[in-house]
């Protein structure tokens, strides 16, 4: 049966909209016993959802900040710690073993009470992000660890019952509303089914060899424990056979789309994710939803993702739903998200890059080794993305107590300084006829799976120019200050068919007018000494 659905997935990709819009008898349909999909203009079919347009407010926004924050930040060992603490010999396993105990005795469930969020001030944080230019704000609803960060009706393992004893989503939602920022919520728990499979394992060597980890514990095992009355299987979801080759630590990645031998989840699990997601949507009224999946949750053996999307679109016509690895037809129904990377061309439909200045969850090692992306790197990536009709959603990792560190504070300061002066070249703009010129623009840069090519954009310098425009102005941003003070823009040479107006002067944002010389070879602009720490932006009247 798994092979059959792999074939069906391939057919959808090959045959496009005809297959994608066909009515399907789903193998694992959701139950609407508890939560009913909002009815209205849209139906849970691709054909219907393709009529939804990514709203103009999102196209104008360009930049959002994400609080990708939850209990996996407790140990400070980085992203996916709740999975990798069960992978014998991994760095996260070793750290957990040394500082907390063996995963047969101290599992991830036992880390949850240590997530206190004791210094978390959502209003202060959102106000800071707003000053940095964020036009929308994203928060984590749940991660692959399956822990809900709100007073969840359908998941007792949540932030009100355990740890902070606070409704995290409620605090974030109130702060976003106060500062007028559209709210986004990301939901990742649909993959807990396979993601947690290492919790079913045991050590293969050492004094605990053969002793199973805590992934198969049940409610009856909790008698006399701090978690008495709670069922660990509601968190770990491991009361099932492991996927094919599950002991191979990288196999999960090839099974992310539920093919290649992934153990398919039960209707109870799928419906629980559906119920939880609708519960959060109905309570907090988000404008954006992010799924860390191929296409949609449980695509394409369940209607779960289609029904969640339909529910949100019918409740909120200005809503945005993101999916990854989308074909051209699916990009009409959803907004394409590219993780840690970008295409090297203008994309007709609005899209988004999600990226982070460090690891997705707070990583003390990145802090100690000064491995954060600089504000300059962030701005260059933002400018490049905007030139291609995209937005940037940037995560600023928070420590478990709900604060960012002083190195992140300096990055935010630098972002604010640049955005305050140069934001007009970002917000509300549209791509020009070409996104840019220069060595990196000319490269054939491919995406890897859902993205993962941002290292290819790391060496942009003053030779790389990116363009975007409003009705009144063309903006040209160099990806660095030229050492000789001469900025050469070949795309704006005299006689250029895309910009026929003669150019004799340009305006440098944050400085003023500059003289420019336009020849048949290029437009050459003499720049002053750098007036910001990052990159110069030229404004040219159209």
């Amino acid at each position: 049966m798994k092979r059959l659905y792999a074939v069906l997935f391939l057919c959808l990709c090959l045959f496009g909209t005809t297959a994608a819009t066909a009515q399907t008898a789903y193998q694992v349909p959701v139950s609407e016993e508890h939560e009913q999909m909002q009815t209205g203009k849209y139906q849970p079919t691709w054909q219907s959802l393709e009529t939804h347009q990514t709203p103009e407010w999102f196209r104008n926004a360009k930049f959002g900040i994400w609080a990708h924050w939850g209990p996996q930040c407790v140990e400070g060992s980085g992203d996916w710690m709740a999975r990798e603490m069960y992978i014998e010999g991994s760095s996260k396993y070793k750290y957990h073993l040394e500082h907390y105990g063996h995963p047969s005795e101290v599992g991830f469930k036992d880390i949850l009470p240590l997530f206190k969020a004791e210094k978390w001030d959502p209003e202060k944080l959102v106000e800071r992000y707003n000053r940095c230019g964020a036009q929308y704000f994203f928060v984590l609803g749940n991660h692959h660890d399956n822990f809900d960060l709100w007073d969840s009706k359908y998941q007792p393992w949540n932030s009100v019952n355990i740890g902070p004893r606070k409704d995290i989503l409620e605090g974030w939602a109130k702060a976003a509303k106060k500062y007028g920022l559209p709210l986004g919520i990301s939901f990742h728990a649909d993959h807990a089914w396979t993601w947690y499979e290492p919790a079913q394992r045991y050590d293969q060597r050492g004094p605990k060899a053969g002793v199973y980890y805590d992934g198969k514990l049940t409610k009856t095992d909790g008698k006399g424990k701090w978690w008495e009355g709670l069922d660990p299987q509601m968190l770990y979801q491991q009361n099932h056979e492991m996927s094919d080759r599950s002991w191979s630590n990288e196999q999960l990645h090839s099974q992310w789309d539920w093919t290649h031998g992934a153990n398919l989840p039960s209707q109870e699990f799928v419906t629980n994710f559906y119920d939880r997601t609708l519960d959060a949507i109905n309570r907090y009224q988000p404008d954006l939803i992010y799924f860390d999946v191929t296409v949609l949750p449980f695509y394409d053996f369940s209607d779960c993702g289609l029904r969640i999307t339909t529910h949100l679109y019918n409740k909120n016509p200005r809503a945005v739903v993101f999916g990854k690895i989308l074909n051209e037809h699916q990009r009409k129904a959803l907004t394409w998200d590219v993780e840690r990377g970008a295409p090297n061309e203008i994309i007709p439909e609005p899209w988004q890059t999600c990226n982070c200045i460090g690891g997705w969850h707070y990583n003390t090692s990145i802090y100690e080794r000064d491995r954060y992306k600089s504000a300059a790197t962030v701005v260059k990536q933002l400018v490049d993305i905007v030139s291609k009709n995209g937005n940037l959603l940037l995560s600023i990792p928070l420590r478990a107590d709900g604060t960012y560190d002083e190195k992140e504070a300096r990055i935010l300061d630098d972002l604010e300084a640049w955005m305050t002066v140069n934001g007009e070249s970002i917000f509300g703009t549209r791509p020009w006829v070409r996104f840019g010129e220069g060595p990196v623009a000319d490269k054939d840069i491919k995406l890897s799976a859902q993205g993962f090519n941002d290292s290819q954009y790391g060496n942009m310098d003053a030779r790389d120019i990116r363009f975007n425009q409003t009705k009144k102005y063309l903006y040209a941003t160099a990806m660095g200050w030229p050492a000789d003070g001469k900025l050469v823009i070949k795309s704006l040479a005299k006689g250029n068919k895309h910009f026929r107006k003669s150019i004799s002067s340009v305006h440098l944002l944050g400085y003023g007018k500059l003289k420019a010389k336009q020849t048949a070879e290029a437009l050459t602009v003499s720049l002053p000494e750098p007036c910001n720490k990052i990159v110069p932006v030229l404004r040219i009247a159209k």
Side-chain angles (χ1 to χ4, degrees), residues 65-298:
I65 286 184
W66 191 1
H68 190 286
W69 173 63
Q72 288 184 80
C73 299
V74 168
E75 298 192 13
S77 58
D79 197 35
W80 283 31
M81 65 77 49
R83 169 181 165 87
E84 295 178 25
M85 63 165 281
Y86 295 107
I87 296 178
E88 184 181 13
S90 71
S91 61
K92 295 178 179 64
Y93 169 93
K94 292 177 181 177
Y95 186 89
H96 180 83
L97 183 66
E98 179 182 353
H99 293 88
Y100 297 92
H102 191 266
S104 65
E105 301 164 351
V106 184
F108 183 67
K109 69 182 186 313
D110 302 295
I111 298 302
L112 297 175
L114 305 179
F115 176 53
K116 300 292 189 182
E118 62 270 26
K119 297 181 181 179
W120 174 58
D121 186 340
E123 284 196 11
K124 182 178 179 181
L125 289 166
V126 174
E127 186 275 334
R128 186 73 183 89
Y129 301 150
N130 189 38
R131 284 194 282 121
C132 290
Q135 303 293 296
Y136 54 104
F137 175 61
F138 247 97
V139 301
L140 198 67
N142 48 44
H143 199 251
H144 310 314
D145 59 24
N146 212 25
F147 183 78
D148 283 355
L149 290 157
W150 75 94
D151 188 16
S152 181
K153 290 166 61 176
Y154 304 102
Q155 172 56 297
W157 296 85
N158 66 63
S159 63
V160 174
N161 292 338
I162 304 166
R165 306 287 177 174
K166 301 173 185 176
D167 189 321
I168 301 297
L169 285 193
E170 182 180 49
W172 284 130
K174 287 180 177 178
K177 184 176 181 180
K178 178 176 179 178
Y179 291 100
L181 296 182
L183 175 69
I185 306 176
S186 66
F187 299 97
H188 310 242
D190 53 304
H191 269 90
W193 184 270
T194 50
W195 192 81
Y196 263 132
E197 283 185 3
Q200 295 192 45
R201 300 181 189 176
Y202 49 82
D203 282 0
Q204 295 182 287
R205 53 189 177 274
K208 294 281 189 179
V211 178
Y212 281 92
Y213 304 149
D214 73 331
K216 298 284 278 187
L217 293 180
T218 64
K219 187 175 182 177
T220 58
D221 296 311
K223 188 174 182 179
K225 307 288 179 61
W226 74 263
W227 47 276
E228 185 172 0
L230 290 169
D231 184 359
Q233 288 312 306
M234 285 293 292
L235 180 70
Y236 296 141
Q237 294 289 343
Q238 291 308 300
N239 191 22
H240 63 81
E241 294 295 322
M242 297 173 78
S243 300
D244 292 348
R245 291 162 289 165
S246 183
W247 279 76
S248 175
N249 296 328
E250 298 304 313
Q251 185 65 16
L252 177 70
H253 300 287
S254 68
Q255 296 171 342
W256 203 251
D257 63 357
W258 302 102
T259 61
H260 299 96
N263 185 291
L264 296 187
S266 66
Q267 184 184 40
E268 180 183 10
F269 178 80
V270 171
T271 297
N272 179 257
F273 178 81
Y274 170 83
D275 288 340
R276 289 155 66 186
T277 306
L278 262 62
D279 176 39
I281 290 172
N282 293 340
R283 290 193 195 200
Y284 309 108
Q285 304 295 315
D287 296 295
L288 312 99
I289 293 294
Y290 171 103
F291 294 121
D292 190 7
V293 298
T294 301
V295 188
L296 281 173
F298 310 113

Side-chain angles (χ1 to χ4, degrees), residues 300-335:
D300 64 338
F301 62 88
S302 175
D303 58 348
C304 178
L306 287 172
R307 287 189 171 275
I308 294 171
T309 303
T310 303
H311 179 80
L312 183 62
Y313 285 174
N314 281 331
K315 283 184 67 69
N316 184 354
R318 71 193 296 269
V320 180
V321 176
F322 297 100
K324 299 181 179 182
I325 315 183
L326 305 178
N327 65 34
E328 62 178 304
H329 302 289
Q330 293 159 348
R331 290 183 202 175
K332 296 177 182 178
L334 307 172
T335 300

Side-chain angles (χ1 to χ4, degrees), residues 22 201 208 366 424 539:
R201 300 181 189 176
K208 294 281 189 179
I366 291 176
E424 70 169 81
R539 185 178 69 200

Side-chain angles (χ1 to χ4, degrees), residues 47-67:
Q47 186 176 30
S48 177
L49 296 177
E50 282 180 9
T51 64
H52 178 79
Q53 299 294 312
T54 302
E56 285 296 293
W57 77 261
F58 178 78
R59 298 191 72 189
N60 292 331
K62 303 303 180 187
F63 181 55
I65 286 184
W66 191 1

